[in-house]
């Protein structure tokens, strides 16, 4: 999971489910991230060694456009860099590259 986060993959928070007994429910989004709170949250919980991840490759979600993350591009980029820098230190540049390479692949 940590490796996937590092490689720029972020699960859609709208379609992420947690077991109520996992302890994750005590974690909260960081209010210092207006747009990328989900990314920071997933980076933070990736540090939990006991975390078990089940990934289903379902293509049934549709995320609409026009939200704050689609209109505040510079703020979003700033927060993504801040988050990756916080969790991956000097290697943040690779995570940033992977993230936008993945986005480009999705468009093509």
């Amino acid at each position: 999971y940590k490796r996937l986060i590092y490689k720029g993959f972020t699960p859609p928070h709208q379609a992420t489910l947690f077991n109520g007994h996992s302890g994750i429910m005590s974690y909260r989004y960081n209010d210092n991230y207006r747009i990328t709170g989900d990314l920071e949250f997933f980076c933070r919980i990736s540090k939990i060694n006991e975390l078990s991840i089940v990934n289903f490759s379902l293509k049934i979600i549709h995320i609409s456009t026009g939200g704050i993350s689609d209109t505040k591009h510079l703020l979003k980029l700033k927060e993504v860099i801040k988050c990756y820098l916080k969790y991956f230190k000097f290697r943040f540049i690779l995570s940033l590259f992977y993230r936008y390479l993945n986005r480009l692949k999705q468009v093509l």
Side-chain angles (χ1 to χ4, degrees), residues 1-58:
Y1 177 71
K2 189 185 298 186
R3 186 175 298 136
L4 288 173
I5 295 292
Y6 175 73
K7 289 190 173 191
F9 294 100
T10 307
H13 65 275
Q14 302 92 333
T16 302
L17 304 173
F18 296 102
N19 181 324
H21 301 289
S22 67
I24 298 295
M25 303 310 283
S26 64
Y27 286 72
R28 301 283 181 244
Y29 276 22
N30 185 336
D31 291 335
N32 294 323
Y33 295 84
R34 288 185 50 213
I35 298 176
T36 60
D38 55 334
L39 172 63
E40 194 280 332
F41 177 81
F42 289 123
C43 285
R44 189 168 5 116
I45 66 170
S46 75
K47 302 282 186 181
I48 302 171
N49 291 331
E50 304 83 34
L51 189 64
S52 295
I53 304 296
V54 177
N55 184 16
F56 294 101
S57 184
L58 300 175

Side-chain angles (χ1 to χ4, degrees), residues 35 68-69 71-81:
I35 298 176
I68 188 171
S69 63
T71 58
K72 304 280 186 181
H73 299 289
L74 290 178
L75 178 58
K76 181 178 181 178
L77 180 61
K78 179 182 168 185
E79 288 186 5
V80 168
I81 290 170

Side-chain angles (χ1 to χ4, degrees), residues 64-106:
S64 63
T65 59
I68 188 171
S69 63
D70 285 335
T71 58
K72 304 280 186 181
H73 299 289
L74 290 178
L75 178 58
K76 181 178 181 178
L77 180 61
K78 179 182 168 185
E79 288 186 5
V80 168
I81 290 170
K82 178 181 171 184
C83 185
Y84 282 154
L85 187 58
K86 178 179 178 181
Y87 289 98
F88 301 118
K89 308 293 184 231
F90 65 91
R91 298 177 308 166
F92 84 94
I93 196 73
L94 290 173
S95 293
L96 192 65
F97 172 76
Y98 289 138
R99 177 185 179 92
Y100 290 105
L101 180 65
N102 294 333
R103 301 294 191 276
L104 182 61
K105 286 179 183 177
Q106 289 174 354

